Structure formats: structure tokens, C-alpha cells
Amino acid sequence: MATLYEEYTLCGVGPDKNSSSSGILGIELGKDVDHIIVTNSSRAVTVYKVSDQKPTGSWTVKQGQLITCPAVYNTKSQEYVVVTDNKVIRVWKEDDVNMEKAFKATVSSDVLRVIAASDSEPVVLFSCGAVMFLDSLLASPQQTIEGVLTEEEFIRWSTVVGAEHQLVLLFCTEKRGEHYLYAQRFNPNTVVKHRFETEPGPFAPISFSATCRGSNIHLQYLYMSGRIYESVLPLRSSVSEAEGVQALPRSLCLSLPLGEQELTSGAAIVLDEAHVAIVGFPHPSAGAGKDYLCIWNKHFQTLQACKELAGTIYSQIWCYSGKLYIPHGKILSVISFECQKSSLAAAMGKLKQTNQSESKSHTPLSSWTALPHNDSINAAKVKSRMSTRNASNVKSPLTVDQLIDHIKTAVVEDVQSAVGEFIHQTPQTDLQLAAGKVTMVLVSRSQTDDSFYPQRAFLQLLDTRYLCYSVCPELLSLAMAKRDFQLCQIAFQLFPDIPEAVTCAYLKTILSTPDSEMETLTLDTESLIIMKEMSPAQSQMEEGEQQNENGVSSSKQQRDFLSMDMKCPVGLHKGVLLNDVLQTAYSDKPLLQHLKDLTVLQVMVFLQYLHFLYLKYSQDVHKQIRALRIPSISQVIDWASLILDAHFTVLAVAPEAKSLVSDLHKFTRSQVKLYAELGKIEGSLQSLKKPKSTEHTGVYSIEVIELF
Amino acid sequence: MGEFKVHRVRFFEYVPSGIRALAFNQHNERMAAAKMNGSVEIFHCSDRFFQEKIIPGREQAGIEGLTWVGERLFSAGLNGVITEYDLTNQRVKYTIDAYGGPIWAITGNQQGTHLAVGCEDGTVKLFEVTEDKIQFERNLDRQKGRIISLSWHPSGSKIAAGMMDMIQVFNVETGHSKHRILVDRGYGTSRGKECVVWSVVYLSDGTIISGDSVGMVKMWRDDTGTLIKSHNITKSDVLSLSVSQNEDSIVAGTSEGFVVQFQFLSMVLENNEKDWVRTRTFRNHTHDVRAVAEITTAVVSGGMDTQLVVRPLLDKHEVKSSASKLRKIQFPHRSLVSCARKAGTLLFQYPGHLELWRLGESEGEGIPGSSLLLKRKPEKLLHLKVKGEDHIRCSAVSPCGEWIAYSTTSSLRLYKLHCDSNNVSITKISKLPKVLGSASQLCFSSDSTHLFSASTQSSVHMVSLSQPECKFVATFKTKSGSHQAIHLLAASEDGKWLASANIDNEVHIYNLQTRKAHCTVPIYSSAVSAMAIHPTTNCLFMVHADQQIFEFSIEQKEYTDWSRLVQRQGLHRIWLERDTPCLNVTFNQKNPSHVILHDMYMFCIIDQSQPLPDSKSQFLNQLTLRSLPEEQRKSYSHAFKVCKTFKELLCVDVMGDQSLVVVERPLEDITAQLPAPIKQKKFAT
């Protein structure tokens, strides 16, 4: 999982007249991880202390001079280095007030960039492709520089990666639409030239990011087509390096969904092995033209976190020590992030706990399998209706694009029938890809158009089982906004990847909806039956108890002590919905965070319901085993612990919670006692099973044995 | 194969002594263990923990601490003296009084220059380690209250000392206390009780780790004296701590009988910030774990329940082998029982006395698996107390049953036994040749006319037995340079040959008629754990600690064909994986091809005339063979007849009437004699 924290502004940026550039030439790391150097494309270099959001030093060049490369900090000599007017290298210390008075040296050829490398001298990259260490260049600044690049070849991007005392300078060039990668290694100095494979279409790589892992360099680059490729280069050059241009083997790591419009810019940066941060690309479900920062997990191809940024995004992004620096609008924002190690379990949350395997065979069809039946009727109706209206349409099924166009304009009924038609006629393999796309279009129209809400179409799409949360994240929030609990329930039953935030939001919605409103809902029948079974069982028991009361008084006492009788604190339908929430997959830590959003009243109701379930299960354990769609006792206990954790302080002081908490405590204590006793019995029985010690033979005997 | 009459003996009431201290020597891979009775034992960690050396204890010699300085071993105890051991001759080299009252802790620095001892009077005393002795140097600042535990900083410039309620950090240079770290007492009722810092460990990064009587393992910073981390691992005491060589792991022994491992790990993957994390709990003991030591690949622990447990750390083992198995050492790797074959008596060796028993007699015959009626019960003939405070090192009874010899580290004694029908009397042979001194191993010739006594420098003295005087006959010396003490002797039945084995794995054979060294068996890498000379073929049969078997023809001076066959085919996996060494080899007089061996859990008759088991055949096949009809047995049987009917064996031998004697010492009987453990998990009580 990845988390983006609240952003804060570091400084303003002054966009140029043509606002395609942010005005920031570059951001480099300062003397430690809390200091960064922001180089303005105008004339200023400013050092900020990030945690204080304050500048600690600023230097400007004289009028008429121009800074042409981002300033860097040389950790070895603890000096700042910048290049002005392409040829003048300036070096100054933190204490120097005026940059003009500091050291400067004019070199013979145009410098493109000075690149800082940790634990090493900065590297100077000339526009002609030559590379030198700064100290050796400054030793004789006027030395002639030999060009590496050919005519009309320009450097687009450059970086230095290094590990194990091995530095590699990478830079990418463009020459008449062809893109090349140069890898310059030092000691011995070697240059290897690679050619990027061309994408079909007019797409070119627009953003690069290189990291060093183990003994390999991982270079990731983003194409305008939204594809991110990764190429792996060895950190150390092999001895038998072939001459000439080599092809760069690549593998596709991520394919970003593109909006409708053509993209010209965008930036991606690698955060760790699995995560990549991207700006300038549209959010898969938000409409086009919105500016988002997204963190994607390339292992699972999932969107992990996103944040909408105000103002124009300039396709610039930097990342230093857990913080992203993004200029947008008129500010430079700092956004902290955290990427947890991805594992399948972390990505998917806790696995859904299925009950007994035998129960599965019992009910091979899941709850709303009644729907396909309905569907076929619907589809038949649709067919007939459509055939009467437009016979030609029936014969040639709609293509995805046609359907999408149709959705954008048609009225709800037409859309629903068209979707139904589409699902029936599209082959399964195509449907898998199309379902998500269609849903997204449906969702985005519903979001913009209040009167448009094709519930039946959504249900049909859900029924294909090709949807999941990652495919259409907005569907659930839309359904919640429309209070479409039926859809939500099915989605919660089917989606394996609902984020904890959404689960909590849904929980909140359920708890805040009055029961009276709920009772009119049409919900999955099987769950309803289970809930009904639970509640009458309760009333029956109460009757039984009353009968008992006349004869046997002990049972009554027992009952009071454990306070076993409890009415279902929520309505039938609310209970059904809550049951589905309880069975959702989740991870403890993130969920806990979001659970804190619940109000005290909601917490109380929820806890009461959990208490109720717990009591029910403890009373008749055998009954719950039969049902498939019902939370298991461990799920109930897990949730109860979580909610207690999240609201412990509140529950401790809220007067209305007192009786509930003490009841729960009493009951749990009695259960603990019971299980402790069970443990003893188990121990005794186990020791019975142990092989009995051999019969006592006394201290001496004479025996006869036979060996074979 | 046939039937055997077996005397099943359980009246040897041997109780091993608890383990008080452990010291591991990284360089020669030896583990030294100090026992409650004052004896010190040396185990070879890379030779299957074979117990190489036993330095017997004395009465009233409670050892509290044990430490290696280079190849030298020192101990100190509550009698207030520091002892250095002569490991070659397996005896105490010298003792020095520290003049500080009882000593609670002793530890040498890594440089091997100094010893520090912690005394009852509150001083830490430094001793300089000189070439052949130690020399008192000075006291560090005297504290109020006893010094319970000590640990040197690896640099040798600082010492942490555990006391009552506090830890003192000393600067060795100045002798002044740099820091005083107060350790919390327990809560509730234990608030009033002092907290004893039973153990401290000083790491090179300045972390001090303490284990105390409140049940806490605490990590402190030495420069600030602040508590970094604290783990409550037990309700009772944490008695012992040990750190691994590279300081990334610590084990703590508790009085509830479990050992807890802490590891210095980073909490987040690929993050260098490390922390001490409690990782594993080993529950192999029932009583106090008084000593732990982490060696390269295992955790070794010992305590009141007398067993030495070697618990391998499986992450340090790449292949499954004998070293990656849990090993428990309960009994010494020496025979404590000797049999007078012709007289039918057994001699039991206890630390402070000897017992001589006559076996019982049976009546009639019985079917296999049955017990016979006893005609006569076994009878204790003799209870011989040792003179002086030293414990017995070795003992032997002659085959005729008339001579008994034992040796302590200081003297050897020989007795003549007179048995009338009812009366038993002994006379001590007072005039022994001067040369005898003390013996590391004793052995009588098969005709009971001579005694062989293994002496210093791997030499063996031979004396002829007669009353009232014994005559010195000869001394056999090795040509090799080894001075290690001999731990095994074997004389041939015809009185012609004598074999001796020492801890340098040398086996020498002497010709008793010419009284000269005859030859030396090629040296094998593992120690000899048992050997005997075959009565008819005069082949020396040897079993090693790594379970390999060799047969060496003395007359031909070469390995026999059978031995070569064994080496060529290899022994069966199950045989090699056994974890206790063979302790005795004897032969079946009726059938010369039968060799009888035993270890702690089984005895085995090797029929050299039968084919060896190959890797596919069933090794433990007695039950299978029993169920098969006679004619099919042959195709299934192989040379190794393993009998597991008897367990926890101390001795298996053959008597003159061809009956077997097995001496069992069930572990439950030992446990019953131990004090009750602090805590025991009980159900349904």
C-alpha cells in the first residue's frame, strides 16, 4: 500500500509568460535530506529547509546573466556549484553572501549540466556529450573538450546513478525522432550507446527515472502512449562490450489508462521496486483534464494512492528521501509519501474467510445468482424492444466504442438495454476488457448528470464478474452517494480489493441511514433469510425462557448473569448490509485509521450489533455453520477489537457507552473463563493420549530376548 | 542369531551433576562445562560434542565461573580461589586465593592479558595472566555489596559489573567507576526484595545487556547509562546470558527452564536501523538454566536438570546433518561400570565411592520376551568410600573379581577382595610402585595378573599383581609427541597385546611380551569412543565419536578386509545419525564373528559374517524379521542387529556364562531425585 500525506507549500513559483514551464530549473538535494536547492530559471538559487518550510540561503546572479543548469551541492567539498551562461562555472560556500565574489571559471565548451553524485565529485556533462569530473575540469578550465554526439543530436535527460564506488552517468539523446541512451562509466571510462525501440505511432519517451538496485541499473521511462518500460543495464561494464549502437532490451511494466485527449507531457518517477509516482496523466476514473498525482504499483498494476493538484501541472516531479516535490499552479508543493512493501496479502488485504467447505457444496450458487435468471428475462425484453425499433441493430452487435458513444448521449432506459445487449453478445474474452471501460463511462456520466443513474446496467456489469474496485473506483462512491445499497451490497460481496477507506465510508453510510429507510430496500434474499432466522430464533428463545421461568429458576439466573438476551440493535436490512461489510477483506492498520472517523453514536450501534452477533454465535454455534454469507465468529471478534481500539478513549468516557462496554466485558470474561476450562480439559485428554509408560520392572530382572 | 539371557540392572543409582557454568572457546571449538560437583568437562563441538576430557571435582568445590584465556582454562568459585586447569593431564594445575571472599564471577578479556574476578567483598580484582601462572595486579574501586557478574568490553578498557540492584561500569585504566546504572526492582511483593543482576554482557558498541532476578533482560547504553530496551521474559529469574561471536544474537537462560534468543535485527526490510528483538524460545529444560553459550551454529544450555542441550540454530545450517539435530548429553562419554566377567560382579563408579554388586541367578528357562524367576537376588558386596576429598577419576575390577583399583587425580589405590561364602573383606595393597601415582585409565589383564595404569605423557605402566606387594614390570611410552591423557585401554585375551587411545586420536599398540611399542593405528579425525581387542583374531575393533567403525589387525598391522568393506560400502544412514557415542565394545565368545556395541539408546550385535546393510535396506529390521517365517529371514537380515528394548544404557557387557548385562539408568529416576523445578505446567490439578 502507498499513502500520500497532506501536502504543504514550500515556495511560490513564478511561471514564465508562456505558462508551459514552471520556472523551476531543477531541485537538488542540499547538505542533508532536510535541505533542498531550488534553482529558478530566472536568476536565483535558493536553499530551503524543508521541515521548516523556510529558505535558509539565496543567491542571485547579475542582471544579464542567466543560470543554465540546476545548482548542486558538492558533499565532498561542501560547496554549491552552478553554471551561468552555459560556460561559467561558479562555486561558492554557504557563508558566501554574494555569488559574484565567489570562485568562477570559464570553460571552453557549453556545459549542459553539473550533476551531483553522492560520495563523489560532481560530474560535468557538456552539451556535446563529453563528461568530466568537476575537479579535473577546474584544474584546467580551458582544456579542449571532445564532442561525443553527432550533428543534430540533443541531450534530453541525464542523471547519475552509483553504488559500490561505481558511478554511471546516463543521458538520453534525440536525433531526428530517434532516441538513444548513453551510459558513461568511469574507471575505466567507457561509453555505451543504446537505441530505444520506437513505439508504434508518434510516441516518444518523455520522462526517465533511473535507480540502482543490486548490481544493475533499472531505467524506467514513460512514453507519451502511457506505457512505462523498464530496461536493466549492468552497473559495471562487461569487458567484451560490443562497439556501435546496441538495442536496449525493455519490458513493459505498466500501461497507464489514457484519457481521450492526446498527451504531450507527463512525468514519472520511481519510488521503490514496486511503486512509481506519475503526474500529468489523468486519473483512470476522473474525467480528462484533471490534474492528479498518482502512485501506481507496477507489480499488481493497481492505483495505490492519488491526489488532485490545483493549478497547472508542469510535468516536473522530484523525489528526495520520502518526499515528492511537485510544482503546480503557482506553488511548489511538498508531499510526503510512504510505500509499504508490497506483497499480495498487503495488496489484497486479509483474505475473505470462507466458512466450511461443505457449506459451499451445499449452496453452489452464491446469493444473487437469482439475477442471471432475471437478466435473461430482461435481455429478452430488451431484444424484443430493440428489434421492434431498430431491427438492423440486433444483427450486428455494438462495438465498445459505439456503446460508449451511445452511453454518452442516450437516456437511461436505452443505455440499460444497450448495455444488457452488449453483455450478451460480446464474447467473454472481449467482455473482460470492455466491462471496465463501459462501467467507467457510465460512472463518469452519472457523476456529471444527476438524473442519469443506470442501476440495472451496473448490476448487469457486476454480474459479469469482470469488475473489481481497481477497475472502477468511482462506482462505489457513486452508489453510496445515490444510496444504492443493493449495488453496494453486491459490490462488497464481489470485489476483493476494496480499500479500507471506502469500506469505512460505506460503513458510515449504513450506520447513519435510519432503519426505516432501509426496510424498503431489495436486498440479496439469502442474507435476509439468515438474518430473519437469527431474529426469530431470538424471540422463540425468549418464549422458551419464559416457559422455563415458571418451572426452573436456575436458567433465569444464568441468563441474567451473562446477559445473554439481546435484541438485534439494528433493523433486518441494516444487519444484512453490515454482515457484508464484516466479510470484506481488509488490513488492520489502514482500517483502524479510517474507523476513527465514525461518530460515537455510529460506533455504539456498530458495537452493539457486533455484541449481538457474538452473543448469537456463542449461543448456538451449530447454526452459523450452515450459512455461507454470514460473518464468521473470528471476523466478528476482529472487528470488535478494531472498533474498540479505534475508539477506546471515547468509549471510556462516553456515559451512554458504559452499559454496553461493561456488558461486553462481562460476557468476554465469561468466555475467557470458559475457554480456560476447555483448555484444561484438552490438556487432560491429551495427556491421556500419551503412550503409557512401560510397566515398572523393578530394579533387577533377568529376561530372555531373541535377536534375529 | 539366537536367544540371550539378559541381566537387566537398574540399581546403579547414578545421578549426574547439574551444570553450573559453560565457556566456549571459539578457536579450538571446545566447550567447557563446570558441574555442581566441581568437575569440569571439555566437549569437542565439531566432533559431535564428544566429551573429551573430564577433570574430576572435589568435595566443597563449588565452581561459579569458568573462562578461557587463549587455550588456558580458569575457574573460580565460592571457596574464594581461582583455579587453572592442566588440560593435558586433566587435573588442577594450581589454585590461587583471591582474598576477597567467595568469588561470584570470573572472566578473561579478549586480549588474553587479564582476568577479572568479582568477589563477595565488593571488589573486582584484576589478575595478570603470565606465561605459566596468574599474578594479582590491583583492585578496581571497591563497592558496597557483592559483585555477581562481570563482562569485559571487547576493547578491554571497560568492565561492566552486575551487583545487587545496580550495574557498575568501571574504567579499567583508572579503576574508577564511570557509571552506576540502577536496575529496577520488581513490582508488588517483590518490591522489597533486592534485584540481583545475575548476568551482564558488554558489547563492543557500548551496549550493556543485563539479566536479573526480576525476570528482565535489559539493554543499556554505557555512555549515558540509559535504558534502551527492556524485555520481561519470565516471572522468575534470568540467570545467564551469552552473546554470539558477531554480537548479533543473545541467548538468555531462565529459571523456568527455557532459553530465549534475542536478535539484533532491522525492524523494516532494507532499513539499517536495528533493534534487539526477542525471536525464539527454546524449551528443553525442566529446571533452572544456569548456563548458556551461543556457539557458531547452536545454542548450548545446561542447568539443574543435569543435561547439556545443544539446540542447533537451523538458519545457520544449510544441509540436514548430524550437526543440525537437537542433541542432549545426559550421561558421561565414559564407562562408569566395569564387569568382573568370571566372578559375575559389577563395579559402579560414583563420584565419592564405589559399589560392587553380585548379579542374581535365575531358575529354569523362558521363552523370548519373558522374565525368569529369580533364584537369587543381586547383592551389594561392597561400598568403598574414597579417602580424601578428591572424586574418583577411573576405576576397574579385575575379570576374576578379586582386584579393585581406582584412581583420583592425586593417588591410585588397589584393593584385594576376599570372598567367602557369606563374608566379604578387602585389604588395601599398601606397597604400590612409586611410579604409579595417579591414573587416567585403568585396566586389568584378562588373566587378572597384571594391572595397566595410564599415566602422564600418554605412557602406560604395567604392574604385576600379588599380595602383599605389587611389582612394577614396565612402562610403555609413545614415540609420538602427544602428551594427552589416555582415556581408553584395551588388553587382549591372550595377554600379548595392549592398546591405548588418547584424545589426540592416537591409538598405540604395545607388545606385552617384548614390552615394546608394536605399531600405531592410522590417525582418524574423530575421537575413539570405545575399543576392544578380539579374543581369537587379535583384531582391534574401534568405534569413533562420529560413529565410524574400524577393525585393525594387530598382527598384520593393517585394517582388516571387513573394515575395508565397511569403508567402501559406507555405514547405513541411521547408524551414522545416532547422536550418542558407543561406549563399550565386547565380543561373543560363542560366536567369534559377533561384536557387541552399545550407546545410550540401544545395543547392537554386528555379525561380521553377514552382508552389510545397503542404503535401501531397512536398518532397524528386528520387528520385521520376527514377523517373517524362518526361511525368508535370511534374505532380509543384515549384519547390524539392533536391540532397542533397553533404554538409557550405561553399560552392556557379556558375562562368563554368555549372558548379557545391561545397566539401565532411566531418566525419570534421575529426575525424581532432582529438586522440584520452579514451575511446571500441569493440567487438571
Side-chain angles (χ1 to χ4, degrees), chain A residues 41-73:
Chain A
S41 55
S42 51
R43 287 173 13 244
V45 175
T46 317
V47 176
Y48 288 94
K49 188 167 162 61
V50 180
S51 55
D52 291 352
Q53 304 177 45
K54 270 184 190 153
T56 58
S58 180
W59 297 270
T60 45
V61 291
K62 265 200 277 187
Q63 193 83 39
Q65 292 176 345
L66 206 63
I67 294 176
T68 53
C69 102
V72 297
Y73 186 73

Side-chain angles (χ1 to χ4, degrees), chain A residues 81-277:
Chain A
V81 184
V82 80
V83 180
T84 55
D85 297 331
N86 291 325
K87 283 207 166 101
V88 185
I89 297 179
R90 290 165 186 272
V91 180
W92 75 98
K93 292 226 179 221
E94 181 106 51
D95 318 331
D96 297 336
V97 180
N98 195 342
M99 202 202 279
E100 286 304 317
K101 287 180 184 159
F103 172 84
K104 59 180 163 185
T106 310
V107 294
S108 59
S109 178
D110 276 4
V111 175
L112 184 83
R113 244 188 108 183
V114 180
I115 308 170
S118 56
D119 312 325
S120 166
E121 269 296 310
V123 184
V124 181
L125 175 65
F126 292 92
S127 301
C128 58
V131 176
M132 279 191 97
F133 279 109
L134 182 66
D135 50 354
S136 57
L137 176 67
L138 292 183
S140 58
Q142 283 300 322
Q143 60 187 293
T144 48
I145 306 296
E146 280 179 39
V148 174
L149 302 185
T150 50
E151 286 279 303
E152 292 180 42
E153 195 170 1
F154 302 106
I155 298 177
R156 293 284 175 221
W157 171 83
S158 58
T159 193
V160 162
V161 285
E164 304 162 29
H165 312 294
Q166 171 76 50
L167 274 189
V168 181
L169 185 128
L170 299 172
F171 57 93
C172 297
T173 61
E174 185 185 353
K175 183 184 181 183
R176 295 190 210 104
E178 291 272 321
H179 291 265
Y180 299 98
L181 173 74
Y182 289 80
Q184 164 89 42
R185 293 179 178 83
F186 303 94
N187 293 334
N189 282 11
T190 54
V191 185
V192 185
K193 187 176 177 185
H194 302 274
R195 183 193 292 113
F196 282 106
E197 278 178 52
T198 45
E199 278 274 282
F203 298 122
I206 51 172
S207 178
F208 301 85
S209 178
T211 49
C212 189
R213 284 203 295 277
S215 55
N216 286 320
I217 302 168
H218 293 252
L219 177 71
Q220 286 194 1
Y221 39 99
L222 171 68
Y223 276 85
M224 261 184 264
S225 59
R227 287 166 183 237
I228 295 180
Y229 289 96
E230 183 178 68
S231 296
V232 181
L233 300 166
L235 189 59
R236 292 177 194 283
S237 55
S238 51
V239 183
S240 57
E241 202 88 70
E243 288 290 313
V245 183
Q246 299 177 12
L248 191 63
R250 65 181 191 183
S251 54
L252 181 65
C253 347
L254 193 63
S255 186
L256 296 173
L258 280 181
E260 291 88 64
Q261 94 263 47
E262 287 288 305
L263 279 167
T264 51
S265 65
I269 191 158
V270 177
L271 304 180
D272 66 10
E273 269 175 64
H275 294 92
V276 55

Side-chain angles (χ1 to χ4, degrees), chain B residues 437-457:
Chain B
S438 147
S440 61
Q441 184 59 276
L442 292 165
C443 168
F444 287 94
S445 65
S446 64
D447 56 359
S448 304
T449 57
H450 289 89
L451 170 69
F452 304 103
S453 159
S455 178
T456 52
Q457 308 212 328

Side-chain angles (χ1 to χ4, degrees), chain A residues 573-640:
Chain A
H573 286 78
K574 203 182 254 190
V576 169
L577 294 177
L578 285 175
N579 283 352
D580 283 315
V581 174
L582 293 183
Q583 292 170 79
T584 327
Y586 66 89
S587 308
D588 295 0
K589 244 171 96 181
L591 184 67
L592 201 63
Q593 229 173 6
H594 296 294
L595 271 179
K596 292 188 173 157
D597 298 343
L598 297 182
T599 64
V600 184
L601 220 62
Q602 288 165 347
V603 170
M604 291 276 301
V605 173
F606 189 43
L607 198 57
Q608 265 168 357
Y609 181 64
L610 290 172
H611 187 192
F612 163 75
L613 282 181
Y614 185 30
L615 283 178
K616 274 277 159 271
Y617 286 171
S618 316
Q619 277 166 357
D620 35 24
V621 182
H622 53 282
K623 268 191 185 163
Q624 59 143 333
I625 293 166
R626 276 184 294 152
L628 176 67
R629 244 179 223 297
I630 188 151
S632 69
I633 188 151
S634 60
Q635 280 168 336
V636 171
I637 291 172
D638 282 352
W639 274 90

Side-chain angles (χ1 to χ4, degrees), chain A residues 681-700:
Chain A
I681 296 175
E682 199 266 350
S684 312
L685 293 176
Q686 196 180 24
S687 60
L688 282 181
K689 242 174 96 181
K690 276 183 196 160
K692 277 191 180 165
S693 58
T694 47
E695 78 295 345
H696 192 64
T697 41
V699 293
Y700 183 72

Side-chain angles (χ1 to χ4, degrees), chain A residues 363-407:
Chain A
T363 46
L365 291 173
S366 69
S367 64
W368 55 294
T369 37
L371 273 174
H373 176 65
N374 295 341
D375 257 5
S376 56
I377 298 170
N378 288 345
K381 275 185 195 163
V382 171
K383 239 183 213 171
S384 58
R385 219 188 298 159
M386 283 189 70
S387 57
T388 51
R389 210 166 45 184
N390 191 347
S392 65
N393 246 3
V394 182
K395 274 155 203 158
S396 61
L398 288 168
T399 65
V400 184
D401 294 332
Q402 282 170 335
L403 181 65
I404 287 170
D405 288 340
H406 188 59
I407 289 169

Side-chain angles (χ1 to χ4, degrees), chain B residues 371-577:
Chain B
S371 298
L372 300 179
L373 266 177
L374 288 186
K375 191 167 72 184
R376 197 185 69 202
K377 285 189 173 173
E379 190 184 355
K380 184 171 169 182
L381 302 176
L382 187 69
H383 183 101
L384 186 62
K385 280 194 84 172
V386 173
K387 280 265 192 274
E389 292 187 328
D390 286 341
H391 288 161
I392 298 173
R393 191 173 181 185
C394 55
S395 61
V397 60
S398 66
C400 67
E402 288 178 2
W403 298 89
I404 291 174
Y406 76 84
S407 175
T408 65
T409 46
S410 54
S411 64
L412 185 151
R413 280 163 204 270
L414 182 65
Y415 296 90
K416 173 90 168 120
L417 196 71
H418 308 279
C419 268
D420 298 340
S421 53
N422 298 322
N423 278 339
V424 177
S425 63
I426 56 164
T427 37
K428 185 188 163 205
I429 309 299
S430 50
K431 287 184 183 167
L432 287 176
K434 285 251 161 40
V435 68
L436 281 181
S438 147
S440 61
Q441 184 59 276
L442 292 165
C443 168
F444 287 94
S445 65
S446 64
D447 56 359
S448 304
T449 57
H450 289 89
L451 170 69
F452 304 103
S453 159
S455 178
T456 52
Q457 308 212 328
S458 283
S459 61
V460 183
H461 303 301
M462 179 180 180
V463 286
S464 67
L465 301 171
S466 62
Q467 242 183 327
E469 201 177 340
C470 288
K471 266 200 203 134
F472 170 75
V473 180
T475 297
F476 302 104
K477 282 191 178 153
T478 62
K479 284 182 199 145
S480 74
S482 175
H483 294 166
Q484 294 285 356
I486 288 168
H487 70 290
L488 287 173
L489 284 174
S492 70
E493 193 71 22
D494 58 7
K496 203 177 164 190
W497 307 104
L498 177 74
S500 76
N502 68 16
I503 282 305
D504 278 345
N505 302 349
E506 295 176 345
V507 179
H508 298 285
I509 296 163
Y510 304 102
N511 187 328
L512 296 177
Q513 284 164 348
T514 63
R515 298 190 180 146
K516 276 185 184 150
H518 177 66
C519 66
T520 302
V521 178
I523 289 179
Y524 181 65
S525 60
S526 179
V528 185
S529 68
M531 64 177 189
I533 298 173
H534 196 280
T536 51
T537 62
N538 273 339
C539 290
L540 179 67
F541 197 93
M542 291 164 290
V543 191
H544 291 266
D546 67 353
Q547 313 295 358
Q548 284 295 342
I549 298 171
F550 293 97
E551 193 187 35
F552 187 82
S553 165
I554 292 176
E555 275 143 25
Q556 313 283 328
K557 297 190 188 178
E558 62 180 24
Y559 287 119
T560 61
D561 291 340
W562 186 82
S563 181
R564 289 169 203 274
L565 182 73
V566 168
Q567 289 309 310
R568 209 164 41 241
Q569 286 205 7
L571 288 160
H572 195 274
R573 184 177 53 82
I574 293 180
W575 176 266
L576 293 175
E577 282 174 359

Side-chain angles (χ1 to χ4, degrees), chain A residues 313-545:
Chain A
I313 286 187
Y314 303 103
S315 302
Q316 281 180 313
I317 185 167
W318 291 271
C319 172
Y320 295 109
S321 64
K323 294 187 181 71
L324 292 168
Y325 299 88
I326 303 164
H328 61 97
K330 296 198 164 168
I331 52 174
L332 172 66
S333 279
V334 184
I335 302 169
S336 297
F337 68 93
E338 195 177 9
C339 294
Q340 282 172 7
K341 273 274 164 211
S342 299
S343 62
L344 196 58
M348 301 293 283
K350 253 187 205 174
L351 275 183
K352 284 199 179 191
Q353 287 170 349
T354 47
N355 282 331
Q356 304 280 314
S357 56
E358 54 183 338
S359 65
K360 274 188 182 168
S361 60
H362 224 67
T363 46
L365 291 173
S366 69
S367 64
W368 55 294
T369 37
L371 273 174
H373 176 65
N374 295 341
D375 257 5
S376 56
I377 298 170
N378 288 345
K381 275 185 195 163
V382 171
K383 239 183 213 171
S384 58
R385 219 188 298 159
M386 283 189 70
S387 57
T388 51
R389 210 166 45 184
N390 191 347
S392 65
N393 246 3
V394 182
K395 274 155 203 158
S396 61
L398 288 168
T399 65
V400 184
D401 294 332
Q402 282 170 335
L403 181 65
I404 287 170
D405 288 340
H406 188 59
I407 289 169
K408 281 180 181 162
T409 50
V411 293
V412 178
E413 285 74 26
D414 280 357
V415 168
Q416 296 197 138
S417 41
V419 170
E421 185 85 351
F422 175 75
I423 289 169
H424 269 269
Q425 294 182 351
T426 316
Q428 293 289 304
T429 45
D430 298 342
L431 193 58
Q432 186 160 6
L433 296 168
K437 209 163 182 181
V438 171
T439 316
M440 262 165 58
V441 177
L442 283 172
V443 169
S444 63
R445 174 152 181 217
S446 309
Q447 278 174 329
T448 47
D449 182 358
D450 271 346
S451 57
F452 182 86
Y453 185 69
Q455 193 212 16
R456 214 175 66 228
F458 285 133
L459 288 177
Q460 284 168 342
L461 282 165
L462 275 177
D463 187 33
T464 60
R465 307 222 167 191
Y466 290 130
L467 294 189
C468 64
Y469 180 81
S470 305
V471 168
C472 48
E474 296 297 309
L475 176 62
L476 268 178
S477 44
L478 175 74
M480 270 187 250
K482 298 274 180 195
R483 305 226 158 214
D484 183 357
F485 288 104
Q486 189 188 359
L487 183 74
C488 284
Q489 190 200 11
I490 291 161
F492 263 79
Q493 286 170 359
L494 287 178
F495 290 178
D497 56 346
I498 298 172
E500 285 77 2
V502 177
T503 309
C504 274
Y506 180 51
L507 185 62
K508 209 171 165 173
T509 318
I510 297 171
L511 291 171
S512 58
T513 312
D515 271 328
S516 51
E517 188 184 321
M518 289 265 184
E519 298 310 316
T520 56
L521 296 174
T522 44
L523 289 176
D524 162 27
T525 41
E526 194 198 337
S527 315
L528 268 177
I529 291 166
I530 295 159
M531 274 308 286
K532 270 181 195 153
E533 210 171 89
M534 245 191 236
S535 304
Q538 176 193 351
S539 56
Q540 269 170 20
M541 197 191 69
E542 272 167 8
E543 282 165 28
E545 292 285 348

